[in-house]
Amino acid sequence: ERVLTQSPDTLSVSPGERATLSCRASQSVGSNLAWYQQRRGQAPRLLIYDTSTRATGVPVRFSASGSETEFTLTISSLQSEDFAVYYCQQHNHWPWTFGQGTKVEIK
Amino acid sequence: QVQLVESGGGLVKPGGSLRLSCEASGFSFSDSYMSWIRQAPGRRLEWISYTNKNGDSTGYGDFVKGRFTVSRDNAKNSLYLQMNSLTAEDTAVYYCAKEDWGRASHWGQGALVTVSS
């Protein structure tokens, strides 16, 4: 099983600032890495797939990169609605697995 | 638009069984892979299972250990998860999801399953 480890666990950021989240895989997952956003009380929402492709309707302030075992999600200028928990997920090797999540909170 | 509505959650005793349902609309259900994903308190999201378009190919997470069975009825646009031999560790919110190439592109609102005596 591919284990995904996200860092940091919590990120404190002021509105308008940039946030950078990391996801590391225990073995290569190629480019088969997705990112999700989960706001409080809601289901997760797909943000990014195939490492860097934004899902439909996702604002351009969300960008992502990486390959193999190291991946990054960047939010260029945090808006109030971006304070949430973010999960990475690999779909390179079954079973698909998630990271433990990074909580982005208001500083 | 895509809508996924889970039902069948609730309180069940350890060792008991429960069947979750997911009714889909707004897309071609019979042309879509579907999955179940769960989120337990304090634990990371876990991908429980997937089923292919006609239900003849399925996959399960290692933790299922033969206790859960995923199925679908394309005539009813519905996905199911039969869960047996439930333990407290199965307490979680269970999500139905439309799966596109291994990613969950759309999620339901979730169904809470509580396993407790």
Side-chain angles (χ1 to χ4, degrees), chain B residues 76-95:
Chain B
K76 295 182 178 179
N77 284 351
S78 292
L79 178 73
Y80 307 101
L81 184 67
Q82 176 66 43
M83 303 186 291
N84 300 327
S85 303
L86 288 163
T87 73
E89 291 203 334
D90 297 314
T91 293
V93 175
Y94 286 71
Y95 293 102

Side-chain angles (χ1 to χ4, degrees), chain A residues 63 65 70 89 97:
Chain A
S63 62
S65 63
E70 299 283 345
Q89 177 242 329
T97 51

Side-chain angles (χ1 to χ4, degrees), chain A residues 11-21 61-62 75-84 86 104-105:
Chain A
L11 188 59
S12 298
V13 186
S14 299
E17 289 189 339
R18 173 188 294 256
T20 302
L21 291 65
R61 64 180 179 274
F62 290 91
I75 311 170
S76 61
S77 177
L78 273 155
Q79 306 298 301
S80 57
E81 62 268 28
D82 301 335
F83 292 96
Y86 293 83
V104 177
E105 64 176 25

Side-chain angles (χ1 to χ4, degrees), chain A residues 3-74:
Chain A
V3 177
L4 300 183
T5 303
Q6 293 184 239
S7 60
D9 287 333
T10 303
L11 188 59
S12 298
V13 186
S14 299
E17 289 189 339
R18 173 188 294 256
T20 302
L21 291 65
S22 296
C23 176
R24 173 174 291 178
S26 60
Q27 300 176 68
S28 174
V29 298
S31 61
N32 300 130
L33 196 287
W35 290 92
Y36 299 83
Q37 176 193 65
Q38 186 175 32
R39 295 175 177 142
R40 180 183 288 274
Q42 296 185 15
R45 164 200 177 198
L46 178 66
L47 287 179
I48 302 283
Y49 62 92
D50 293 344
T51 297
S52 59
T53 304
R54 280 186 298 275
T56 303
V58 174
V60 297
R61 64 180 179 274
F62 290 91
S63 62
S65 63
S67 67
E68 308 293 341
T69 61
E70 299 283 345
F71 299 88
T72 300
L73 172 70
T74 301

Side-chain angles (χ1 to χ4, degrees), chain A residues 1 3-5 32 34 36 38 42-46 48-50 87 89-91 94-101, chain B residues 35 37 39 43-50 59-62 95 99-110:
Chain A
E1 179 173 299
V3 177
L4 300 183
T5 303
N32 300 130
Y36 299 83
Q38 186 175 32
Q42 296 185 15
R45 164 200 177 198
L46 178 66
I48 302 283
Y49 62 92
D50 293 344
Y87 297 94
Q89 177 242 329
Q90 66 82 21
H91 50 99
W94 178 256
W96 314 144
T97 51
F98 291 90
Q100 84 279 14
Chain B
S35 284
I37 298 164
Q39 187 169 36
R43 296 178 61 177
R44 63 182 67 197
L45 289 157
E46 289 183 300
W47 209 293
I48 303 168
S49 68
Y50 75 86
Y60 297 91
D62 294 341
Y95 293 102
E99 182 181 329
D100 292 318
W101 302 104
R103 55 196 184 251
S105 60
H106 297 85
W107 299 62
Q109 85 288 351

